[in-house]
Amino acid sequence: MQLGFVTAIFGDLNLEEVLKHASEIGYDCVEVMCWPPGTVDREYGGVVHIDCTDFTQAQADDIRALCEKYKVAISALGYYPNALSHDEEEAQIARTHVRKVIDAATKLDLPGINTFIGANQYESLEDNLLKFEKVWPEIIRYAEDRNMRVGIENCPMMIDKSWPFGWNLARTPAIWRRMFEVIPSVFFGLNYDPSHLRMQLMDPIAPVYEFGQRIFHSHAKDMRIDVEKLNRLGSLVPPMQRSTAKIPGLGDVNWGKYIGALADVGYDGPVCVEVEDEAFEGSLEKRRKSLEISYRVLRPLIA
């Protein structure tokens, strides 16, 4: 496995500066954020470390040279929009740009990209699955034709304004099974983040054994359930009202068991720290510290 981090935490730096920090700390790789320029849709969204809009082979060659300079690889390109949004303009922008991200990853000779399925928060699960069947097979065929894998992150995006359905359909094993029945392609899989299962009060490790061959990429974010808030508010509130995103080692995920489960199923890909811990927001020094602590927690587990 390779240890990396998601570049969204350094949204104010350019790609070379990000690679320099990664190299100095000791990370093997980074997942590079690729929103369309000018799109700031939420916290940690809208980060553009590679602009895929009109991405050329010359630009790809320059980026590959930077990676070689700092001895840090790109694990995948990341773009997490809502391709099934109730807002058709938003959905079309997402569907168009995800293809551009696929094209850029092809020029960079990467194995895959990561994204969300999306969801219409005002429709039912069954209606969202029908919409998924209409939209996503064509996107995956586009990726397939370019030998590019698409890893879907399992974040439900259940925040206050998207409650109760959320903005990302691909949130539970039961839904993953149905998605993979619709699209059985070997180029369609998961960017697995155990924290999102813990957030939903689920076992974050057991699904690794069922879906191991579908895991293309992994995020390493921790989640702490606030038991007092859970007991006071119940489970039927937006999950982040009773949960807190933490860096690895400061939440409830057992990282030894998680990395062990990945190894058990033969996973040998990237494990990328995703920092959304409010305790480490703010200065560059604090954000870098979050990655240094995460590195010390995970490096002994990822040889």
Side-chain angles (χ1 to χ4, degrees), residues 1 208-209 212-213 215 259-269:
M1 296 180 217
V208 171
Y209 290 95
Q213 300 310 305
I215 298 175
I259 299 300
L262 289 177
D264 287 346
V265 299
Y267 180 78
D268 193 29

Side-chain angles (χ1 to χ4, degrees), residues 2 9 13 33 118 129 137 139 150 161 259 270:
Q2 306 85 51
I9 190 62
L13 305 183
M33 296 297 98
L129 283 164
I139 295 174
V150 178
K161 62 183 178 181
I259 299 300

